[in-house]
Amino acid sequence: MTHKSLELQKSKIESHIRKLSSGDKVTQRDLKAVLTDDEISQMNDEWEEEKSMREHKRDLWGQLGDYADMLDKADKVNNRYLKLSANPSALTKDKTVLFNKAQSLYEKAVERLEELLSDNGNLAECLDRTVDFSPGYEPYPSAEGVPRYCDSRSEHANREEKRTIKDIRISALQRKFDEINNPVVDSNEEAINEDQVKQSANKLRSLLRRME
């Protein structure tokens, strides 16, 4: 490709990246105009892999159903405690009862989680944090302290950043842009170019000798 055509391609790629980053749509036709078939295929493969990983984590969370149910019950009691705590006229005794009940339910949920993970440690892949049951490192029995599903809508979950199709498209376009800016020279092509330079130099020297 000529320098002018490469600059035009870079300009299109930058425009597509800006559009995607701002939430605007970039069509498949637009992408195919600046990416090769192999690059489009790689981009699609990355998206399929991302969707497969999400499905895999949902399946793992399904296998932690007992823990999920116990966590849900503990959350409901904890929400009752929080609501009661917001009431200035509520009795301290009543708040303490609910607080202790919620903490007890969280403790039982964590114990069940430990049992489930001891049978299959791979289930931890679907959790929103690293889990360690070593003495002194156990999850704290509270709404904020217990592990949750990595894609949980709970305000207490440490939700992981999922790659979207937009993210994958931007990455593919950025790789292409970087490739144009920093082309990789093939070793064989480089050797051929060196030979051509040597041949041209020899011809020039021969011409100069004949002119002497």
Side-chain angles (χ1 to χ4, degrees):
M1 296 179 71
T2 65
H3 176 73
K4 184 176 180 179
S5 61
L6 286 175
E7 288 301 313
L8 178 60
Q9 187 179 21
K10 283 169 57 179
S11 178
K12 289 181 178 179
I13 291 173
E14 287 181 310
S15 175
H16 294 339
I17 291 176
R18 284 196 298 271
K19 285 182 179 180
L20 288 169
S21 298
S22 62
D24 293 333
K25 184 178 180 181
V26 173
T27 66
Q28 280 289 329
R29 183 177 181 181
D30 293 332
L31 293 172
K32 289 180 179 179
V34 295
L35 299 176
T36 66
D37 289 343
D38 286 344
E39 289 163 344
I40 291 287
S41 178
Q42 179 184 349
M43 183 181 66
N44 292 335
D45 288 345
E46 287 180 18
W47 178 231
E48 290 302 318
E49 183 180 348
E50 175 65 27
K51 290 192 292 184
S52 177
M53 180 58 68
R54 294 183 191 182
E55 184 64 31
H56 173 62
K57 289 183 177 181
R58 280 194 291 269
D59 290 342
L60 293 179
W61 181 245
Q63 296 179 55
L64 290 175
D66 286 354
Y67 172 67
D69 290 341
M70 296 174 76
L71 196 57
D72 183 58
K73 291 178 181 178
D75 283 338
K76 288 178 179 177
V77 174
N78 185 66
N79 289 336
R80 287 170 54 198
Y81 161 71
L82 294 175
K83 185 176 180 180
L84 189 64
S85 295
N87 184 351
S89 62
L91 297 176
T92 300
K93 181 183 71 172
D94 294 337
K95 290 187 286 186
T96 301
V97 169
L98 279 179
F99 175 83
N100 290 338
K101 183 177 180 181
Q103 188 173 49
S104 176
L105 289 172
Y106 283 126
E107 286 177 347
K108 291 178 181 178
V110 169
E111 289 172 0
R112 180 56 180 150
L113 177 63
E114 183 176 13
E115 293 173 356
L116 291 168
L117 294 184
S118 65
D119 292 336
N120 183 359
N122 292 330
L123 297 177
E125 293 177 21
C126 70
L127 300 177
D128 67 340
R129 67 199 74 186
T130 301
V131 184
D132 187 350
F133 292 101
S134 302
Y137 294 94
E138 306 96 328
Y140 187 75
S142 69
E144 300 82 4
V146 295
R148 296 179 181 274
Y149 178 43
C150 61
D151 198 28
S152 171
R153 295 181 180 180
S154 170
E155 62 179 320
H156 305 299
N158 298 326
R159 297 192 66 182
E160 64 180 10
E161 290 293 327
K162 295 186 297 186
R163 293 185 75 197
T164 64
I165 183 62
K166 180 188 77 172
D167 296 328
I168 291 172
R169 286 176 173 175
I170 290 175
S171 294
L173 290 167
Q174 188 62 56
R175 284 196 300 267
K176 185 67 174 183
F177 186 86
D178 294 340
E179 178 185 307
I180 295 173
N181 268 348
N182 304 289
V184 178
V185 179
D186 183 77
S187 58
N188 292 329
E189 181 180 343
E190 187 175 5
I192 291 173
N193 290 336
E194 289 180 359
D195 289 340
Q196 290 175 341
V197 170
K198 289 179 180 178
Q199 290 175 10
S200 297
N202 290 334
K203 288 180 180 179
L204 180 59
R205 282 195 293 269
S206 178
L207 178 62
L208 291 173
R209 281 197 296 270
R210 287 200 297 270
M211 292 174 64
E212 291 178 351

